[in-house]
C-alpha cells in the first residue's frame, strides 16, 4: 500500500468534508493512515511539570494561571533546578520518555534563562527527551535552548486565527507564528496544537488544523486539549463538547498530519475509558501521564497503566535509547499492576 502523502496545502472545503464524514468512515480512514506510519499498539508518554506557577500577565480566558482571574491557585516562583530533576527521575520511573516543563510567563527574561538551560541539561542527562513551554521567544532564546540540547518547544496556536482574539487579548496569532518560526529555524522540534470546548465552531477547529498542517514542516507533536473548566476563569461555565466531536478532531489531525504524534492531552481526567479507547483508535498516540498536568488533575498512573493493559497498548520507548534495564523495569511494573487489578477484581466478585 502506498503511503499517504505528507501535504502542506490543505484547503477548508476538503477539511470540512473530513469533519462531516460518517463517524465510522472517518475513524477507519484515520486508523488506516495511522497504521502506515505507526505501531497502533504503542503510545508515547510524556510528563508535565509546572516550573513556575501562576501570576501570568497574559489574559487567556481558559487559563487558571492568568493574573486576570482569581482561581485560588497556589502561586510559585521558578522551581530550583534540583527539584525539577528529582521530578523528572520520578517521571522516568513511570515509563515517561519526555519531560515537559511549563512556565506561566509571557516570555522568559534574561534572568530566568540560565536556570531553564540548567534544567534542560539536567533532565537530558537522565536520558529523557526534553520539552519546555515558556511563552514567546526571541530568535536568540530559541538558539540558546537548542544549544542546551532541548528537543521540543511547545507553543500552541490553540484555535483559529479568527477566534483567537475572543479568547486571548494580550498577544496575537502572528506573534505565536513568529515564535514557531524561530523555534524551527533553531532546529528544535515543534509541539503545537490547541484546545476544544471554548465555544469555537467546527470551522475554527478545521482552520486550526490547517494552520498546523500547512506550516512548512508539520509539528512533530500535536497536542489536542479538551478544555479543563477551572472555576474563576471566564470559560468555567462553557458547555461540554460532544465526546464524538473531540474524537473527530483527533481523527482529522491524524489524517492531515500522518507522521506527527497526536496527543490526547488535557481533559482525560474528565473522560471515560471508552472515549479514550476511541481516541487511540482515531490515531491519538501520545498522552501525559502523572497525576497532575500543570495545575489541574490528570488520571492516577495506576488507572492509566490499567487502561493501557486492557487495550494491549504499550508505552513507546525512545527510538534512540536502548536502556533495556529501564524497559524491563517498566514492563515488570505494568505486569504487577495488572496482577493486582486482576486480584482486586477476583476479590470483588
Ligand atoms: N505560558 C506559556 C504559553 O501560553 O505558551 C506556556 C504555558 S500554557 C499553560 C500552555 C498551554 O496550556 C496553553 O497554550 C493551552 O493550550 C494549555 N492550557 C492552559 N489552560 C488550559 C485549560 N484550562 N484546559 C486545557 N488546556 C489548557
Ligand atoms: C498542552 O498542549 N497541554 C499542556 C501542555 N501542552 C503544556 C498543558 C495543559 C494545561 C491544562 C491546565 C492546567 O493543568 O493548568
Ligand atoms: Fe499565561 Fe500561558 Fe496561561 Fe496564557 S496560557 S495565561 S500565557 S500561562
Amino acid at each position: 500500500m502506498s503511503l499517504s502523502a505528507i501535504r502542506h496545502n490543505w484547503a477548508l472545503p476538503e477539511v470540512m468534508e473530513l469533519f462531516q464524514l460518517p463517524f465510522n468512515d472517518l475513524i477507519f480512514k484515520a486508523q488506516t493512515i495511522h497504521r502506515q506510519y505507526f505501531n497502533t499498539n504503542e503510545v508515547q508518554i510524556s510528563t508535565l511539570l509546572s516550573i513556575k506557577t501562576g501570576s501570568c500577565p497574559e489574559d487567556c480566558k481558559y487559563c487558571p494561571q492568568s493574573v486576570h482571574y482569581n482561581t485560588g491557585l497556589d502561586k510559585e516562583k521558578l522551581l530550583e533546578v534540583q527539584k525539577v530533576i528529582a521530578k523528572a527521575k520520578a517521571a522516568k520511573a513511570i515509563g515517561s520518555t519526555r519531560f515537559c516543563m511549563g512556565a506561566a510567563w509571557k516570555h522568559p527574561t534574561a534572568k530566568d534563562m540560565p536556570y531553564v538551560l540548567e534544567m534542560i541539561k539536567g533532565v537530558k542527562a537522565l536520558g529523557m527527551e526534553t520539552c519546555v513551554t515558556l511563552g514567546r521567544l526571541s530568535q536568540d532564546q530559541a538558539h540558546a535552548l537548542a544549544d542546551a540540547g532541548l528537543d521540543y518547544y511547545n507553543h500552541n496556536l490553540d484555535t483559529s486565527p479568527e477566534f483567537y482574539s475572543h479568547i486571548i487579548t494580550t498577544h496575537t496569532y502572528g506573534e505565536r507564528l513568529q515564535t514557531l518560526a524561530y523555534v524551527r529555524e533553531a532546529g528544535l522540534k515543534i509541539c503545537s496544537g490547541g484546545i476544544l470546548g471554548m465555544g469555537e465552531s467546527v470551522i475554527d477547529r478545521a482552520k486550526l488544523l490547517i494552520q498546523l498542517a500547512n506550516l512548512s514542516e508539520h509539528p512533530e507533536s500535536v497536542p489536542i486539549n479538551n478544555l479543563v473548566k477551572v472555576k474563576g476563569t471566564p470559560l468555567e461555565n462553557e458547555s461540554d463538547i460532544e465526546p464524538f466531536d473531540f474524537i473527530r478532531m483527533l481523527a482529522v489531525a491524524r489524517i492531515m498530519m500522518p507522521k506527527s504524534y497526536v496527543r490526547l492531552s488535557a481533559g482525560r481526567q474528565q473522560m471515560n475509558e471508552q472515549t479514550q479507547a476511541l481516541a487511540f483508535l482515531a490515531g491519538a498516540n501520545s498522552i501525559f501521564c502523572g497525576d497532575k498536568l500543570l495545575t489541574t488533575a490528570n488520571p492516577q498512573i495506576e488507572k492509566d497503566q490499567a487502561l493501557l493493559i486492557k487495550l494491549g497498548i504499550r508505552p513507546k520507548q525512545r527510538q534512540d535509547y536502548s536502556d533495556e534495564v529501564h524497559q524491563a523495569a517498566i514492563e515488570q511494573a505494568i505486569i504487577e499492576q495488572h496482577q493486582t487489578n486482576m486480584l482486586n477484581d477476583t476479590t470483588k466478585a
Side-chain angles (χ1 to χ4, degrees):
M1 195 186 1
S2 64
L3 286 180
S4 274
I6 304 294
R7 291 178 47 198
H8 302 271
N9 59 350
W10 289 92
L12 188 58
E14 57 177 335
V15 178
M16 287 306 288
E17 264 177 40
L18 289 174
F19 272 99
Q20 284 151 7
L21 280 176
F23 190 76
N24 285 348
D25 291 343
L26 175 63
I27 303 302
F28 181 71
K29 196 176 171 67
Q31 175 65 206
T32 305
I33 291 178
H34 188 48
R35 282 167 184 263
Q36 293 175 0
Y37 288 94
F38 290 102
N39 177 337
T40 191
N41 300 314
E42 276 184 356
V43 289
Q44 186 277 326
I45 296 180
S46 296
T47 296
L48 269 172
L49 176 69
S50 179
I51 57 168
K52 189 268 166 185
T53 308
S55 309
C56 181
E58 297 298 273
D59 182 359
C60 308
K61 297 197 173 12
Y62 50 76
C63 188
Q65 303 203 63
S66 166
V67 78
H68 300 271
Y69 312 116
N70 186 0
T71 58
L73 193 68
D74 286 334
K75 300 165 181 74
E76 267 179 25
K77 294 192 303 240
L78 186 61
L79 291 184
E80 285 162 27
V81 175
Q82 285 314 318
K83 277 196 185 153
V84 173
I85 293 169
K87 293 277 187 185
K89 275 189 191 152
K92 183 174 167 177
I94 61 163
S96 194
T97 55
R98 191 177 311 153
F99 195 63
C100 310
M101 297 162 269
W105 288 326
K106 181 181 182 71
H107 55 74
T109 63
K111 196 169 141 254
D112 304 319
M113 278 300 278
Y115 294 100
V116 175
L117 301 180
E118 281 312 302
M119 290 173 192
I120 292 167
K121 288 179 195 159
V123 174
K124 254 195 113 67
L126 301 175
M128 297 183 83
E129 289 181 321
T130 50
C131 175
V132 293
T133 180
L134 315 170
R136 193 183 70 212
L137 291 183
S138 68
Q139 203 169 14
D140 288 349
Q141 286 172 329
H143 281 283
L145 292 169
D147 291 345
L150 182 69
D151 296 292
Y152 289 80
Y153 194 76
N154 165 255
H155 202 60
N156 290 341
L157 291 177
D158 281 328
T159 189
S160 68
E162 291 80 359
F163 194 62
Y164 202 72
S165 60
H166 289 86
I167 301 295
I168 294 146
T169 54
T170 43
H171 56 255
T172 63
Y173 214 77
E175 287 177 90
R176 295 301 269 190
L177 289 169
Q178 178 62 260
T179 292
L180 288 180
Y182 289 150
V183 166
R184 194 49 107 193
E185 184 246 349
L188 293 166
K189 293 187 182 129
I190 288 181
C191 172
S192 186
I195 309 180
L196 265 60
M198 303 190 293
E200 75 287 343
S201 65
V202 178
I203 297 180
D204 291 312
R205 294 174 197 162
K207 286 182 170 173
L208 165 64
L209 293 180
I210 289 172
Q211 288 289 328
L212 295 168
N214 288 358
L215 289 170
S216 54
E217 267 182 87
H218 293 169
E220 285 78 2
S221 163
V222 181
I224 305 295
N225 298 279
N226 203 354
L227 175 70
V228 181
K229 292 184 268 183
V230 179
K231 203 165 173 325
T233 62
L235 299 183
E236 66 169 302
N237 295 319
E238 205 50 58
S239 346
D240 283 340
I241 70 162
E242 168 63 60
F244 295 124
D245 289 338
F246 188 80
I247 303 297
R248 282 191 172 90
M249 180 75 173
L250 295 169
V252 179
R254 166 54 61 229
I255 293 166
M256 292 172 70
M257 292 171 277
K259 277 203 320 194
S260 304
Y261 279 84
V262 174
R263 182 171 308 123
L264 167 58
S265 194
R268 285 198 306 114
Q269 173 77 347
Q270 294 74 21
M271 222 173 260
N272 65 27
E273 290 192 332
Q274 292 75 12
T275 306
Q276 294 185 59
L278 271 181
F280 297 132
L281 190 63
N285 59 348
S286 170
I287 52 174
F288 284 122
C289 278
D291 54 12
K292 216 169 176 197
L293 291 166
L294 288 174
T295 67
T296 64
N298 198 43
Q300 294 292 320
I301 181 66
E302 293 79 12
K303 255 187 106 181
D304 277 344
Q305 285 175 339
L307 175 62
L308 296 184
I309 286 165
K310 282 190 228 180
L311 300 176
I313 294 178
R314 293 179 301 276
K316 186 179 166 50
Q317 273 305 106
R318 282 186 59 172
Q319 251 139 26
D320 53 343
Y321 186 60
S322 61
D323 184 344
E324 283 164 19
V325 178
H326 177 52
Q327 173 66 4
I330 294 165
E331 280 171 9
Q332 185 58 31
I334 291 175
I335 290 165
E336 279 168 16
Q337 185 59 47
H338 193 33
Q339 285 165 344
T340 316
N341 291 344
M342 291 213 304
L343 205 65
N344 287 344
D345 288 348
T346 330
T347 28
K348 266 189 239 149

